Amino acid sequence: MRLAVCSSKGGVGKTAVAANLAVALARRGRVLAVDVDPQDSLGRAFGVVAKSGDDSLAALLEDPSADARAVVRHDVTPGLDLLPSHPSLDTAATHLATTGGLVTSVRRVLRPLMGEYEHVVLDTRGDLGGLTLAAVCAVDAVLTVFTSDPGSAVGVARVAAFLEQQRTYENTSAVLVGVACAVWDQHGRAAREVAGALDGTDLPLLRTRVPLSRRVPTSTLAKRPVVLSHPTSPVATAYLALADEALTAAERVQR
């Protein structure tokens, strides 16, 4: 599975989903986690920080002849390699946008690496701009997330419309394989209303709901995703189930 985790806004738990899905999938085979966000949140979730743009995805986007393998951090966790980001990715993306190379840039960088991994998970920035499109164009599947905030349901619809539009433009063939609740407040009325509203659409709403948990921000501070730091906790169990469900959905769509 080549999967991009996307949202139209930040603060919805997207990076935590990407990090924990990557760890969960690494139990099934080698995984490459790719940080396509200039805020480098995915790398930081694993304690990986690029010292400069030369040591990150930004350098690979700027120089087509650069060796991606030299930038990949190997065995960040068992079975998982990571391609880190850096704030200079923003500058690189702006330059590529002016030359017409941004849309295919991430796909170009990852092409020589794809055969080395069973799964590739991309974390995107919290918008639907050029870098997010470049990430989507490099994958087959997209997962988006919502929370108990009613505004996040609107964000899900925007991601679905964005993918449909880009397929019309023939920029990508990626399919939305799942809509997941990343921060589920089981006692909240708003959460139930948001889930109910999405359930009434034709969007691929996943059954697994990741519960609201203090362990998630704590694990981020500890630079160790919760699936590793608290593997038997309810939130870790939910992330593992979400990985299984997303993989099954992706396999079904790609048949």
Side-chain angles (χ1 to χ4, degrees), residues 114-130:
M114 288 295 193
E116 300 176 17
Y117 298 94
E118 278 71 36
H119 305 292
V120 181
V121 178
L122 284 67
D123 184 38
T124 64
R125 65 191 305 169
D127 63 27
L128 298 177

Side-chain angles (χ1 to χ4, degrees), residues 187-204:
H187 302 297
R189 177 181 174 183
R192 294 193 298 273
E193 290 182 352
V194 171
L198 289 172
D199 198 33
T201 70
D202 59 356
L203 296 170

Side-chain angles (χ1 to χ4, degrees), residues 36 49 51 58 70 85 99 114 121 125 127 131 134 136 141 153 157 161 164 184 189 195 203 234 243 245 248:
V36 195
V49 178
K51 294 180 180 179
S85 184
T99 61
M114 288 295 193
V121 178
R125 65 191 305 169
D127 63 27
L131 271 173
V136 167
E164 185 65 31
W184 174 249
R189 177 181 174 183
L203 296 170
E245 193 174 0
T248 299

Side-chain angles (χ1 to χ4, degrees), residues 136-137 139-140 166-167 170-175:
V136 167
C137 291
V139 301
D140 305 308
Q166 298 307 324
R167 280 196 298 273
E170 298 185 359
N171 285 329
T172 182
S173 59
V175 175

Side-chain angles (χ1 to χ4, degrees), residues 21-206:
L21 286 188
V23 173
L25 290 170
R27 299 182 176 192
R28 299 170 173 267
R30 290 205 64 79
V31 170
L32 176 64
V34 185
D35 196 342
V36 195
D37 184 352
Q39 295 185 2
D40 62 356
S41 300
L42 182 63
R44 291 179 182 276
F46 291 95
V48 174
V49 178
K51 294 180 180 179
S52 70
D54 294 339
D55 197 26
S56 75
L57 176 64
L60 303 178
L61 263 58
E62 290 174 333
D63 182 3
S65 66
D67 182 7
R69 293 176 181 82
V71 178
V72 171
R73 307 294 182 88
H74 297 280
D75 295 316
V76 171
T77 67
L80 188 148
D81 296 349
L82 187 141
L83 180 52
S85 184
H86 184 268
S88 61
L89 181 61
D90 238 340
T91 303
T94 299
H95 173 71
L96 283 169
T98 63
T99 61
L102 181 57
V103 172
T104 58
S105 60
V106 176
R107 184 171 64 206
R108 169 180 55 77
V109 166
L110 297 183
R111 187 179 296 121
L113 300 174
M114 288 295 193
E116 300 176 17
Y117 298 94
E118 278 71 36
H119 305 292
V120 181
V121 178
L122 284 67
D123 184 38
T124 64
R125 65 191 305 169
D127 63 27
L128 298 177
L131 271 173
T132 298
L133 175 57
V136 167
C137 291
V139 301
D140 305 308
V142 172
L143 180 102
T144 190
V145 298
F146 68 97
T147 68
S148 302
D149 174 14
S152 68
V154 176
V156 166
R158 286 174 178 163
V159 170
F162 172 77
L163 286 176
E164 185 65 31
Q165 181 184 53
Q166 298 307 324
R167 280 196 298 273
T168 300
Y169 292 156
E170 298 185 359
N171 285 329
T172 182
S173 59
V175 175
L176 182 64
V177 297
V179 176
C181 184
V183 186
W184 174 249
D185 179 5
Q186 61 179 338
H187 302 297
R189 177 181 174 183
R192 294 193 298 273
E193 290 182 352
V194 171
L198 289 172
D199 198 33
T201 70
D202 59 356
L203 296 170
L205 190 64
L206 300 181

